[in-house]
Amino acid sequence: MKIATWNVNSLKVRLPQVLEWLATHQPDVLCLQETKLEDKNFPIGAIEAAGYRAVSSGQKTYNGVAILSRSQAQEVVRGIDGFDDAQQRVISASLPTPSGPLRIVCAYVPNGQSIDSDKYRYKLDWLAALTGWLRAELQQHPRLALLGDFNIAPEDRDVHDPLAWKDQVLCSEPERVAFRELLALGMVDAFRRFEQPENSYSWWDYRMMAFRRNRGLRIDLILLSGALAESCTACGIDKEARRVERPSDHAPVSCELI
DNA sequence: ATGTCTCAGGGACTGAGA
């Protein structure tokens, strides 16, 4: 089965591109971030017409996450248990598979703005809460995949110009330490389990012709629990989705699970 | 290189967030 994640930067604007991508790539699961829609405005009709179910946790203007799936999502949970957060950034659900239930956690990690911002402190607190919560979730759901926009480039090879980005938000050491705390739960970065092209990124700033010059960062990730990582046979970034008319600034990332 | 895109408020543009 194929599971995927995509920061769409407004589902209202990006709906045609999302429907096109679903039709072409036929994922079993697609996690969306930055839907920027309240649940009552979610385009459920168009999604269902495309053959998918959807659960969402949205708000007006900012943030918002959703899980699209072929089969009906079960045990849907919104947010991080024990972390009071007005921002809609996490939705989780279970999906039946032949190998047993698959737990999907769709996350939109705070951007942090800059390392001297109060939003950066919020980002680090948020990541600590996510990690603590996931430790318990993994006990409950051993076949767990965490997909989303992490707003962290894990290593220098995930950055087009590591020197320019050194100690900047998305690349700073405290963020990378927080990311490694997630890995320490036994999670595996699916993308790095396979040989990949050099200079592989998932996000490029709209400005400065960044995409055309491939000046990007790899911040959209799929982390798999140990049990699931064994069954992963491929992982890749779909740069083509960044070449379409009116693209998101992010490209989708997907992986294959047996 | 504060250079693009999206959204809300409010009825043209500005500011916020990314």
Side-chain angles (χ1 to χ4, degrees):
Chain A
M1 69 185 299
K2 179 184 287 207
I3 65 174
T5 179
W6 195 4
N7 180 324
V8 291
N9 184 18
S10 169
L11 183 55
K12 183 179 174 186
V13 171
R14 224 67 64 197
L15 182 61
Q17 291 88 332
V18 169
L19 295 175
E20 177 70 27
W21 198 84
L22 289 172
T24 303
H25 296 273
Q26 300 279 318
D28 296 282
V29 177
L30 175 59
C31 296
L32 302 178
Q33 301 87 38
E34 286 206 85
T35 55
K36 301 185 179 181
L37 285 171
E38 291 181 282
D39 291 343
K40 65 173 160 53
N41 296 325
F42 197 87
I44 189 68
I47 298 295
E48 287 184 347
Y52 287 85
R53 316 286 186 92
V55 291
S56 65
S57 182
Q59 67 185 91
K60 206 187 280 189
T61 316
Y62 307 120
N63 311 313
V65 285
I67 301 173
L68 313 187
S69 55
R70 286 293 195 192
S71 54
Q72 180 63 53
Q74 294 162 1
E75 299 176 74
V76 179
V77 174
R78 289 169 174 80
I80 299 169
D81 188 41
F83 185 77
D84 192 22
D85 192 357
Q87 304 188 21
Q88 306 305 305
R89 296 182 172 279
V90 181
I91 187 166
S92 310
S94 294
L95 298 166
T97 82
S99 320
L102 172 63
R103 188 66 175 173
I104 296 290
V105 180
C106 170
Y108 176 46
V109 176
N111 171 286
Q113 196 164 64
S114 67
I115 62 166
D116 54 6
S117 164
D118 53 350
K119 298 188 182 72
Y120 181 78
R121 187 66 247 169
Y122 164 68
K123 178 179 195 173
L124 294 179
D125 292 344
W126 193 97
L127 284 163
L130 177 74
T131 303
W133 172 69
L134 272 179
R135 185 173 289 115
E137 287 294 294
L138 283 160
Q139 298 295 317
Q140 216 48 40
H141 309 282
R143 301 181 74 244
L144 185 148
L146 169 63
L147 308 87
D149 177 356
F150 284 68
N151 270 315
I152 302 172
E155 302 176 38
D156 278 353
R157 62 176 165 163
D158 302 311
V159 181
H160 70 89
D161 186 344
L163 207 58
W165 281 87
K166 185 176 162 55
D167 299 327
Q168 302 295 307
V169 74
L170 311 189
C171 299
S172 74
E173 200 50 31
E175 292 167 84
R176 287 177 168 176
V177 167
F179 178 76
R180 290 196 289 271
E181 290 294 317
L182 283 169
L183 299 183
L185 298 174
M187 307 289 288
V188 175
D189 183 348
F191 189 78
R192 290 301 181 200
R193 279 183 55 93
F194 306 95
E195 191 147 342
Q196 301 290 356
E198 298 243 335
N199 311 118
S200 286
Y201 310 121
S202 68
W203 169 81
W204 302 260
D205 199 299
Y206 281 123
R207 296 168 290 189
M208 299 182 279
M209 295 183 289
F211 181 71
R212 199 171 65 69
R213 300 156 68 192
N214 197 29
R215 296 174 65 83
L217 303 181
R218 190 177 71 93
I219 57 176
D220 299 273
L221 313 173
I222 300 177
L223 299 194
L224 302 173
S225 65
L228 264 187
E230 298 305 312
S231 71
C232 180
T233 57
C235 182
I237 298 169
D238 179 25
K239 272 186 88 167
E240 293 307 310
R242 191 60 166 74
R243 295 196 174 95
V244 302
E245 192 93 359
R246 279 251 263 183
S248 167
D249 43 352
H250 297 253
V253 181
S254 63
C255 77
E256 287 287 346
L257 302 174
I258 290 171

